[in-house]
Each structure stands twice: as C-alpha cells, then as structure tokens.
Amino acid sequence: MRKFKHIETGAILVPNNKDVIKQFEKSEYYEEVKTKAFNKSTEEKAIKDMNKKELVAYLKTLDIDADEDMKKDDLLALIPQE
C-alpha cells in the first residue's frame, strides 16, 4: 500500500486506484511516504513472545488496524495464520 503526503498541508492519502497513484506520482504537490522497514530483530522473535507494542507495530506492517489498548490475546487473534 502506497501513501502520499501533501507537501503544503501534510495530509497523508492512501489511494487505492492505480490511475490516482499515477497522478500523485506526477504531481508536484505530493510526495510518496516511505514506510519504515519492520525491525529485523523483532521479526526473528516469536510472535507469541512479543509485547503489545511490538504486536501493534507488526500488525501495522501487515496493514491491519490495531491499538495498544487492545488485549494481547485480541492482537494475536488478528495475525493471519500462514
């Protein structure tokens, strides 16, 4: 999922349409937001051993909405089984 930031306002937009993505790429008013890579050391850690903060960060890398206010069991239930 690609994200674009409006240079003047700082608003972040997440387009779903390929044509809109092309327009943002060509626009002088938007720049693509690069997401941080998931921490390699956390990736190597077993998912069940992660704390809530790590679980939320991991779920966000999978584009799954999660909140630290959720219980750990609820966060674990959101992780897709491979």
Side-chain angles (χ1 to χ4, degrees):
M1 177 185 317
R2 297 175 69 184
K3 299 177 183 180
F4 293 87
K5 179 180 174 184
H6 189 274
I7 294 172
E8 293 178 12
T9 65
I12 304 232
L13 302 171
V14 183
N16 293 324
N17 185 297
K18 291 179 183 180
D19 293 327
V20 175
I21 291 173
K22 288 178 185 177
Q23 290 174 347
F24 283 156
E25 289 174 335
K26 293 177 183 177
S27 175
E28 60 188 54
Y29 299 107
Y30 291 93
E31 61 184 16
E32 187 169 359
V33 177
K34 301 293 181 191
T35 57
K36 295 179 182 176
F38 188 60
N39 187 346
K40 197 74 164 161
S41 64
T42 305
E43 188 175 304
E44 294 170 359
K45 192 177 197 180
I47 292 174
K48 64 179 181 166
D49 295 332
M50 291 182 183
N51 61 36
K52 284 175 43 173
K53 188 174 184 178
E54 292 170 329
L55 283 170
V56 170
Y58 176 69
L59 287 167
K60 288 187 179 189
T61 63
L62 300 175
D63 293 326
I64 298 172
D65 290 332
D67 192 313
E68 282 191 49
D69 294 334
M70 298 172 74
K71 293 181 180 180
K72 185 175 179 179
D73 291 335
D74 295 335
L75 292 170
L76 289 170
L78 292 174
I79 296 173
Q81 301 299 318
E82 295 179 25

Coordinates of all heavy atoms in Angstrom, one line a residue:
M1 N 0.8 -1.2 0.0 CA 0.0 0.0 0.0 C 0.9 1.2 0.0 O 1.8 1.3 0.8 CB -0.9 0.0 1.2 CG -1.7 1.2 1.3 SD -2.7 1.4 2.8 CE -3.4 -0.2 3.1
R2 N 0.7 2.1 -0.9 CA 1.5 3.3 -1.1 C 0.8 4.5 -0.4 O -0.4 4.6 -0.5 CB 1.8 3.6 -2.5 CG 2.6 2.4 -3.1 CD 2.8 2.5 -4.6 NE 3.7 3.6 -4.9 CZ 4.0 4.0 -6.1 NH1 3.5 3.4 -7.1 NH2 4.8 5.0 -6.3
K3 N 1.5 5.4 0.2 CA 1.0 6.6 0.8 C 1.7 7.8 0.3 O 2.8 7.8 -0.1 CB 1.3 6.5 2.3 CG 0.6 5.3 3.0 CD 1.0 5.3 4.5 CE 0.4 4.0 5.1 NZ 0.7 3.9 6.5
F4 N 0.9 8.9 0.1 CA 1.4 10.1 -0.4 C 1.0 11.2 0.6 O -0.1 11.3 1.1 CB 0.8 10.4 -1.8 CG 1.2 9.4 -2.8 CD1 0.5 8.2 -3.0 CD2 2.3 9.7 -3.6 CE1 1.0 7.3 -4.0 CE2 2.7 8.8 -4.6 CZ 2.1 7.6 -4.7
K5 N 2.0 12.2 0.7 CA 1.8 13.3 1.6 C 1.7 14.6 0.8 O 2.5 14.8 -0.1 CB 3.0 13.4 2.6 CG 3.0 14.5 3.5 CD 4.3 14.5 4.4 CE 4.4 15.7 5.3 NZ 5.6 15.7 6.1
H6 N 0.7 15.4 1.2 CA 0.5 16.7 0.5 C 1.6 17.6 1.1 O 1.7 17.7 2.3 CB -0.9 17.3 0.8 CG -1.1 18.5 0.0 ND1 -0.8 19.7 0.4 CD2 -1.7 18.6 -1.2 CE1 -1.1 20.6 -0.5 NE2 -1.7 19.9 -1.5
I7 N 2.4 18.2 0.3 CA 3.6 18.9 0.7 C 3.2 20.1 1.6 O 3.8 20.4 2.6 CB 4.4 19.4 -0.5 CG1 5.0 18.2 -1.2 CG2 5.5 20.4 -0.1 CD1 5.7 18.4 -2.5
E8 N 2.1 20.8 1.2 CA 1.8 22.0 2.0 C 1.0 21.7 3.3 O 1.3 22.4 4.3 CB 0.9 23.0 1.1 CG 1.7 23.5 -0.1 CD 0.9 24.4 -1.0 OE1 -0.3 24.8 -0.6 OE2 1.3 24.7 -2.1
T9 N 0.1 20.8 3.2 CA -0.8 20.6 4.4 C -0.3 19.4 5.3 O -0.6 19.4 6.5 CB -2.2 20.3 4.0 OG1 -2.2 19.0 3.3 CG2 -2.8 21.4 3.1
G10 N 0.5 18.5 4.7 CA 1.0 17.4 5.5 C 0.0 16.2 5.5 O 0.2 15.2 6.2
A11 N -1.2 16.4 4.9 CA -2.2 15.4 4.9 C -1.7 14.1 4.1 O -1.0 14.2 3.1 CB -3.5 15.9 4.2
I12 N -1.9 13.0 4.7 CA -1.5 11.7 4.1 C -2.7 11.0 3.5 O -3.7 10.8 4.1 CB -0.8 10.8 5.2 CG1 0.3 11.5 5.9 CG2 -0.4 9.4 4.6 CD1 1.6 10.9 6.0
L13 N -2.5 10.7 2.2 CA -3.6 10.0 1.5 C -3.1 8.6 1.0 O -1.9 8.4 0.7 CB -3.9 10.8 0.2 CG -4.4 12.2 0.5 CD1 -4.5 13.0 -0.8 CD2 -5.7 12.2 1.2
V14 N -4.0 7.7 1.1 CA -3.7 6.3 0.7 C -4.7 5.9 -0.5 O -5.8 5.5 -0.3 CB -3.9 5.3 1.8 CG1 -3.5 3.9 1.4 CG2 -3.1 5.8 3.1
P15 N -4.2 6.2 -1.7 CA -5.1 5.9 -2.9 C -5.1 4.4 -3.2 O -4.1 3.6 -3.0 CB -4.4 6.6 -4.0 CG -2.9 6.7 -3.6 CD -2.9 6.7 -2.1
N16 N -6.3 3.9 -3.6 CA -6.5 2.5 -4.0 C -6.5 2.3 -5.5 O -6.4 1.2 -6.0 CB -7.8 2.0 -3.4 CG -7.7 1.9 -1.9 OD1 -6.7 1.6 -1.3 ND2 -8.9 2.2 -1.2
N17 N -6.7 3.4 -6.2 CA -6.9 3.3 -7.7 C -5.5 3.6 -8.3 O -4.8 4.5 -8.0 CB -7.9 4.4 -8.1 CG -8.2 4.4 -9.5 OD1 -7.3 4.6 -10.4 ND2 -9.5 4.1 -9.8
K18 N -5.2 2.7 -9.3 CA -3.9 2.8 -10.0 C -3.7 4.2 -10.7 O -2.6 4.7 -10.8 CB -3.7 1.7 -10.9 CG -3.5 0.4 -10.3 CD -3.3 -0.8 -11.2 CE -3.2 -2.1 -10.5 NZ -3.1 -3.2 -11.4
D19 N -4.8 4.7 -11.3 CA -4.8 5.9 -12.0 C -4.5 7.1 -11.0 O -3.7 8.0 -11.4 CB -6.1 6.2 -12.8 CG -6.2 5.2 -13.9 OD1 -5.2 4.8 -14.5 OD2 -7.4 4.8 -14.2
V20 N -5.1 7.0 -9.9 CA -4.8 8.1 -8.9 C -3.4 8.0 -8.4 O -2.8 9.1 -8.2 CB -5.8 7.9 -7.7 CG1 -5.5 8.9 -6.6 CG2 -7.3 8.1 -8.2
I21 N -2.9 6.8 -8.2 CA -1.5 6.7 -7.8 C -0.5 7.4 -8.9 O 0.4 8.1 -8.5 CB -1.1 5.2 -7.6 CG1 -1.8 4.7 -6.4 CG2 0.4 5.0 -7.5 CD1 -1.7 3.2 -6.2
K22 N -0.8 7.1 -10.1 CA 0.0 7.7 -11.2 C -0.1 9.3 -11.1 O 0.9 10.0 -11.3 CB -0.5 7.3 -12.6 CG -0.1 5.8 -12.9 CD -0.7 5.4 -14.2 CE -0.4 3.9 -14.5 NZ -1.0 3.4 -15.7
Q23 N -1.3 9.8 -10.8 CA -1.5 11.2 -10.7 C -0.7 11.8 -9.6 O 0.0 12.8 -9.7 CB -3.0 11.6 -10.6 CG -3.8 11.4 -11.8 CD -5.3 11.6 -11.6 OE1 -5.7 11.7 -10.4 NE2 -6.0 11.6 -12.6
F24 N -0.7 11.1 -8.4 CA 0.1 11.5 -7.3 C 1.6 11.5 -7.6 O 2.4 12.4 -7.2 CB -0.2 10.7 -6.1 CG -1.5 11.0 -5.4 CD1 -2.1 10.1 -4.6 CD2 -2.1 12.3 -5.5 CE1 -3.3 10.4 -3.9 CE2 -3.3 12.6 -4.8 CZ -3.9 11.6 -4.1
E25 N 2.0 10.5 -8.3 CA 3.5 10.4 -8.7 C 3.9 11.5 -9.5 O 5.0 12.0 -9.4 CB 3.7 9.1 -9.4 CG 3.6 7.8 -8.6 CD 3.7 6.5 -9.4 OE1 3.4 6.5 -10.6 OE2 4.1 5.5 -8.8
K26 N 3.0 12.0 -10.4 CA 3.4 13.1 -11.3 C 3.2 14.4 -10.7 O 3.8 15.4 -11.2 CB 2.5 13.0 -12.6 CG 2.9 11.7 -13.4 CD 2.0 11.6 -14.6 CE 2.2 10.3 -15.4 NZ 1.3 10.2 -16.6
S27 N 2.4 14.5 -9.7 CA 2.1 15.8 -9.1 C 3.3 16.4 -8.3 O 4.0 15.7 -7.7 CB 0.9 15.7 -8.1 OG 0.6 16.9 -7.5
E28 N 3.4 17.7 -8.4 CA 4.4 18.4 -7.7 C 4.0 18.7 -6.2 O 4.7 19.2 -5.4 CB 4.8 19.7 -8.4 CG 3.6 20.7 -8.5 CD 4.0 21.9 -9.4 OE1 4.4 21.7 -10.5 OE2 3.8 23.0 -8.9
Y29 N 2.7 18.5 -5.9 CA 2.1 18.8 -4.6 C 2.2 17.6 -3.7 O 1.9 17.8 -2.5 CB 0.7 19.3 -4.8 CG 0.6 20.5 -5.6 CD1 0.1 20.5 -6.9 CD2 1.0 21.7 -5.1 CE1 0.0 21.6 -7.6 CE2 0.9 22.9 -5.8 CZ 0.4 22.8 -7.1 OH 0.3 24.0 -7.8
Y30 N 2.5 16.4 -4.2 CA 2.5 15.2 -3.3 C 3.9 14.5 -3.4 O 4.6 14.6 -4.4 CB 1.5 14.2 -3.8 CG 0.1 14.7 -3.5 CD1 -0.6 15.4 -4.5 CD2 -0.5 14.5 -2.3 CE1 -1.9 15.9 -4.2 CE2 -1.8 14.9 -2.0 CZ -2.5 15.6 -3.0 OH -3.8 16.1 -2.7
E31 N 4.3 13.9 -2.3 CA 5.5 13.1 -2.3 C 5.1 11.8 -1.6 O 4.3 11.7 -0.7 CB 6.6 13.8 -1.5 CG 6.3 14.1 -0.1 CD 7.5 14.9 0.6 OE1 8.3 15.5 -0.1 OE2 7.5 14.9 1.8
E32 N 5.8 10.7 -2.1 CA 5.5 9.4 -1.5 C 6.1 9.3 -0.1 O 7.3 9.7 0.1 CB 6.0 8.3 -2.4 CG 5.6 7.0 -2.0 CD 5.8 5.9 -3.0 OE1 6.4 6.2 -4.1 OE2 5.5 4.7 -2.7
V33 N 5.4 8.7 0.8 CA 5.9 8.5 2.1 C 6.5 7.1 2.2 O 5.8 6.1 1.9 CB 4.7 8.6 3.2 CG1 5.2 8.3 4.6 CG2 4.1 10.0 3.1
K34 N 7.7 7.0 2.6 CA 8.4 5.7 2.7 C 8.1 5.2 4.1 O 8.4 5.9 5.1 CB 9.9 5.9 2.5 CG 10.2 6.4 1.1 CD 9.9 5.5 0.0 CE 10.3 6.0 -1.3 NZ 9.7 5.3 -2.4
T35 N 7.6 4.0 4.2 CA 7.3 3.4 5.5 C 8.6 2.7 6.0 O 9.5 2.3 5.2 CB 6.2 2.3 5.4 OG1 6.6 1.3 4.5 CG2 4.9 2.9 5.0
K36 N 8.7 2.7 7.3 CA 9.9 2.2 7.9 C 9.9 0.6 7.8 O 8.8 0.0 7.9 CB 10.0 2.5 9.4 CG 10.2 4.0 9.7 CD 10.2 4.3 11.1 CE 10.3 5.8 11.4 NZ 10.3 6.1 12.8
A37 N 11.0 0.1 7.6 CA 11.1 -1.4 7.5 C 10.8 -2.0 8.8 O 11.2 -1.4 9.9 CB 12.4 -1.8 6.9
F38 N 10.2 -3.2 8.9 CA 10.0 -3.8 10.1 C 11.3 -4.2 10.7 O 12.2 -4.8 10.1 CB 9.1 -5.0 9.9 CG 8.6 -5.7 11.1 CD1 7.8 -5.0 12.1 CD2 8.9 -7.0 11.4 CE1 7.4 -5.6 13.2 CE2 8.4 -7.6 12.5 CZ 7.7 -6.9 13.5
N39 N 11.4 -4.0 12.0 CA 12.7 -4.3 12.7 C 13.0 -5.8 12.6 O 12.2 -6.7 13.0 CB 12.5 -3.9 14.2 CG 13.8 -4.0 15.0 OD1 14.7 -4.6 14.6 ND2 13.8 -3.5 16.2
K40 N 14.2 -6.1 12.1 CA 14.6 -7.5 11.8 C 14.7 -8.3 13.1 O 14.3 -9.4 13.2 CB 16.0 -7.5 11.1 CG 16.3 -8.7 10.5 CD 15.5 -8.9 9.2 CE 16.2 -10.0 8.4 NZ 15.3 -10.5 7.4
S41 N 15.1 -7.7 14.2 CA 15.3 -8.4 15.5 C 13.9 -8.8 16.0 O 13.7 -9.9 16.6 CB 16.0 -7.6 16.5 OG 15.3 -6.4 16.8
T42 N 12.9 -7.9 15.8 CA 11.5 -8.3 16.2 C 11.0 -9.4 15.4 O 10.2 -10.2 15.8 CB 10.6 -7.0 16.2 OG1 11.2 -6.0 16.9 CG2 9.3 -7.3 16.7
E43 N 11.3 -9.3 14.1 CA 10.8 -10.4 13.2 C 11.3 -11.7 13.6 O 10.6 -12.7 13.4 CB 11.3 -10.0 11.8 CG 10.6 -10.8 10.7 CD 11.1 -10.4 9.3 OE1 10.9 -9.2 9.0 OE2 11.6 -11.2 8.6
E44 N 12.5 -11.8 14.1 CA 13.0 -13.1 14.4 C 12.4 -13.6 15.8 O 12.5 -14.8 16.0 CB 14.6 -13.0 14.6 CG 15.2 -12.7 13.2 CD 16.7 -12.3 13.4 OE1 17.2 -12.3 14.5 OE2 17.3 -12.1 12.3
K45 N 11.9 -12.7 16.5 CA 11.3 -13.0 17.8 C 10.0 -13.8 17.5 O 9.2 -13.4 16.6 CB 11.1 -11.7 18.6 CG 10.7 -11.9 20.0 CD 10.6 -10.5 20.6 CE 10.6 -10.5 22.1 NZ 10.5 -9.2 22.7
A46 N 9.7 -14.8 18.3 CA 8.4 -15.5 18.1 C 7.2 -14.5 18.4 O 7.3 -13.7 19.3 CB 8.3 -16.7 19.1
I47 N 6.2 -14.6 17.6 CA 5.1 -13.7 17.7 C 4.4 -13.8 19.1 O 4.1 -12.8 19.7 CB 4.0 -14.0 16.6 CG1 4.6 -13.6 15.3 CG2 2.7 -13.3 16.8 CD1 3.8 -14.0 14.1
K48 N 4.3 -15.0 19.6 CA 3.7 -15.1 21.0 C 4.5 -14.5 22.1 O 4.0 -14.1 23.1 CB 3.4 -16.6 21.3 CG 4.7 -17.4 21.4 CD 4.4 -18.8 21.7 CE 5.7 -19.5 21.8 NZ 5.6 -20.8 22.4
D49 N 5.8 -14.2 21.8 CA 6.7 -13.6 22.8 C 6.8 -12.1 22.7 O 7.4 -11.5 23.5 CB 8.1 -14.2 22.7 CG 8.2 -15.7 23.0 OD1 7.3 -16.2 23.8 OD2 9.1 -16.4 22.5
M50 N 6.1 -11.6 21.7 CA 6.2 -10.1 21.5 C 5.3 -9.4 22.6 O 4.3 -10.0 23.0 CB 5.6 -9.7 20.2 CG 6.5 -10.1 19.0 SD 5.7 -9.5 17.5 CE 6.8 -10.2 16.3
N51 N 5.7 -8.2 23.0 CA 4.8 -7.4 23.9 C 3.8 -6.7 23.0 O 3.8 -6.8 21.8 CB 5.7 -6.5 24.7 CG 6.4 -5.4 23.9 OD1 5.9 -5.0 22.9 ND2 7.6 -5.1 24.4
K52 N 2.9 -6.0 23.7 CA 1.7 -5.4 23.0 C 2.2 -4.4 22.0 O 1.7 -4.3 20.9 CB 0.8 -4.8 24.0 CG -0.1 -5.8 24.7 CD -1.0 -5.3 25.7 CE -1.7 -4.0 25.5 NZ -2.7 -3.7 26.5
K53 N 3.2 -3.6 22.4 CA 3.7 -2.5 21.5 C 4.3 -3.1 20.2 O 4.1 -2.7 19.1 CB 4.8 -1.7 22.2 CG 5.2 -0.5 21.5 CD 6.1 0.4 22.3 CE 6.5 1.6 21.6 NZ 7.4 2.5 22.5
E54 N 5.1 -4.2 20.3 CA 5.7 -4.9 19.2 C 4.6 -5.5 18.3 O 4.7 -5.5 17.1 CB 6.6 -6.0 19.7 CG 7.9 -5.4 20.3 CD 8.7 -6.5 21.0 OE1 8.2 -7.5 21.5 OE2 10.0 -6.3 21.0
L55 N 3.5 -6.1 19.0 CA 2.4 -6.7 18.2 C 1.7 -5.7 17.4 O 1.4 -5.9 16.2 CB 1.5 -7.4 19.1 CG 1.9 -8.8 19.7 CD1 1.0 -9.2 20.8 CD2 1.9 -9.8 18.5
V56 N 1.5 -4.5 18.0 CA 0.8 -3.4 17.2 C 1.6 -3.0 16.0 O 1.1 -2.8 14.9 CB 0.5 -2.2 18.2 CG1 0.0 -1.0 17.4 CG2 -0.6 -2.6 19.2
A57 N 2.9 -2.8 16.2 CA 3.8 -2.4 15.2 C 3.8 -3.5 14.1 O 3.8 -3.1 12.9 CB 5.2 -2.2 15.7
Y58 N 3.9 -4.7 14.4 CA 3.9 -5.8 13.5 C 2.6 -5.8 12.7 O 2.6 -6.0 11.4 CB 4.1 -7.2 14.2 CG 4.0 -8.4 13.3 CD1 5.0 -8.6 12.3 CD2 3.0 -9.3 13.3 CE1 5.0 -9.7 11.5 CE2 2.9 -10.4 12.5 CZ 3.9 -10.6 11.6 OH 3.8 -11.7 10.7
L59 N 1.5 -5.7 13.3 CA 0.2 -5.7 12.7 C 0.0 -4.5 11.7 O -0.5 -4.6 10.6 CB -1.0 -5.7 13.7 CG -1.2 -7.0 14.4 CD1 -2.1 -6.8 15.6 CD2 -1.7 -8.0 13.5
K60 N 0.6 -3.4 12.1 CA 0.6 -2.2 11.2 C 1.4 -2.5 9.9 O 1.1 -1.9 8.9 CB 1.0 -1.0 11.9 CG -0.1 -0.5 12.9 CD 0.2 0.8 13.5 CE -0.9 1.1 14.5 NZ -0.9 2.5 15.0
T61 N 2.5 -3.2 10.0 CA 3.3 -3.5 8.8 C 2.5 -4.4 7.9 O 2.7 -4.5 6.7 CB 4.6 -4.2 9.2 OG1 4.3 -5.5 9.8 CG2 5.5 -3.3 10.0
L62 N 1.5 -5.2 8.4 CA 0.6 -6.0 7.6 C -0.7 -5.3 7.2 O -1.6 -5.9 6.7 CB 0.2 -7.3 8.4 CG 1.3 -8.2 8.9 CD1 0.8 -9.3 9.8 CD2 2.1 -8.8 7.7
D63 N -0.7 -4.0 7.4 CA -1.9 -3.1 7.1 C -3.1 -3.6 7.8 O -4.2 -3.5 7.3 CB -2.1 -3.1 5.6 CG -1.0 -2.3 4.9 OD1 -0.4 -1.4 5.4 OD2 -0.7 -2.7 3.7
I64 N -3.0 -4.0 9.1 CA -4.1 -4.3 9.9 C -4.2 -3.3 11.0 O -3.2 -3.0 11.7 CB -3.9 -5.7 10.5 CG1 -3.8 -6.8 9.4 CG2 -5.0 -6.1 11.5 CD1 -3.4 -8.2 9.9
D65 N -5.4 -2.7 11.2 CA -5.6 -1.7 12.2 C -5.5 -2.4 13.6 O -6.2 -3.4 13.9 CB -7.0 -1.1 12.1 CG -7.0 -0.1 10.9 OD1 -5.9 0.4 10.5 OD2 -8.1 0.1 10.3
A66 N -4.7 -1.9 14.5 CA -4.5 -2.4 15.8 C -4.2 -1.2 16.8 O -3.7 -0.2 16.3 CB -3.4 -3.4 15.9
D67 N -4.6 -1.4 18.0 CA -4.4 -0.4 19.0 C -3.8 -1.0 20.3 O -4.1 -2.1 20.6 CB -5.8 0.2 19.3 CG -5.7 1.5 20.1 OD1 -4.9 1.5 21.1 OD2 -6.4 2.5 19.8
E68 N -2.9 -0.2 20.9 CA -2.3 -0.8 22.1 C -3.3 -0.9 23.3 O -3.0 -1.6 24.3 CB -1.1 0.2 22.6 CG 0.1 0.0 21.8 CD 1.3 0.7 22.3 OE1 1.6 0.6 23.5 OE2 2.0 1.4 21.6
D69 N -4.5 -0.4 23.2 CA -5.5 -0.5 24.2 C -6.1 -1.9 24.2 O -6.8 -2.3 25.1 CB -6.6 0.5 24.1 CG -6.0 1.9 24.3 OD1 -5.0 2.0 25.1 OD2 -6.6 2.9 23.8
M70 N -5.9 -2.6 23.1 CA -6.5 -4.0 22.9 C -5.7 -5.0 23.8 O -4.5 -4.7 24.1 CB -6.4 -4.4 21.5 CG -7.2 -3.5 20.5 SD -6.9 -3.9 18.8 CE -7.8 -5.5 18.6
K71 N -6.3 -6.0 24.2 CA -5.7 -7.1 24.9 C -4.7 -7.9 24.0 O -4.9 -7.9 22.8 CB -6.7 -8.0 25.5 CG -7.6 -7.4 26.6 CD -8.6 -8.4 27.1 CE -9.4 -7.8 28.2 NZ -10.4 -8.7 28.8
K72 N -3.7 -8.4 24.6 CA -2.7 -9.2 23.8 C -3.3 -10.3 23.1 O -3.0 -10.6 21.9 CB -1.6 -9.7 24.8 CG -0.5 -10.4 24.0 CD 0.7 -10.7 24.9 CE 1.7 -11.4 24.1 NZ 2.9 -11.8 24.9
D73 N -4.3 -11.0 23.7 CA -5.0 -12.1 23.0 C -5.7 -11.7 21.8 O -5.8 -12.4 20.8 CB -5.9 -12.9 24.0 CG -5.1 -13.6 25.1 OD1 -4.0 -14.0 24.9 OD2 -5.7 -13.8 26.2
D74 N -6.3 -10.5 21.9 CA -7.1 -9.9 20.8 C -6.1 -9.6 19.6 O -6.4 -9.8 18.5 CB -7.9 -8.7 21.2 CG -9.0 -9.0 22.2 OD1 -9.4 -10.2 22.2 OD2 -9.4 -8.1 22.9
L75 N -4.9 -9.0 20.0 CA -3.9 -8.7 19.0 C -3.4 -9.9 18.3 O -3.3 -10.0 17.1 CB -2.8 -7.9 19.6 CG -3.1 -6.5 20.1 CD1 -1.9 -6.0 21.0 CD2 -3.5 -5.6 19.0
L76 N -3.2 -11.0 19.1 CA -2.7 -12.2 18.5 C -3.7 -12.8 17.5 O -3.4 -13.4 16.5 CB -2.3 -13.2 19.6 CG -1.1 -12.9 20.4 CD1 -1.0 -13.8 21.6 CD2 0.2 -13.0 19.6
A77 N -5.0 -12.7 17.9 CA -6.1 -13.2 17.0 C -6.2 -12.5 15.7 O -6.6 -13.1 14.7 CB -7.4 -13.1 17.7
L78 N -5.7 -11.3 15.6 CA -5.7 -10.5 14.3 C -4.6 -11.0 13.3 O -4.7 -10.7 12.1 CB -5.5 -9.0 14.6 CG -6.7 -8.3 15.3 CD1 -6.3 -6.9 15.7 CD2 -7.9 -8.4 14.5
I79 N -3.6 -11.6 13.8 CA -2.5 -12.1 13.0 C -2.9 -13.2 12.1 O -3.4 -14.2 12.6 CB -1.3 -12.5 13.8 CG1 -0.8 -11.3 14.6 CG2 -0.2 -13.0 12.9 CD1 0.3 -11.6 15.6
P80 N -2.8 -13.0 10.8 CA -3.2 -14.1 9.8 C -2.4 -15.3 10.0 O -1.1 -15.3 10.2 CB -3.0 -13.5 8.4 CG -2.4 -12.2 8.6 CD -2.3 -11.9 10.1
Q81 N -3.0 -16.5 10.0 CA -2.3 -17.8 10.1 C -1.7 -18.2 8.8 O -2.4 -18.1 7.8 CB -3.2 -18.8 10.6 CG -3.9 -18.5 12.0 CD -2.8 -18.4 13.1 OE1 -1.9 -19.1 13.1 NE2 -3.0 -17.4 13.9
E82 N -0.5 -18.5 8.7 CA 0.2 -18.9 7.5 C 0.0 -20.4 7.2 O -0.1 -21.2 8.0 CB 1.6 -18.5 7.5 CG 1.8 -17.0 7.6 CD 3.3 -16.6 7.6 OE1 4.1 -17.4 7.1 OE2 3.5 -15.5 8.1

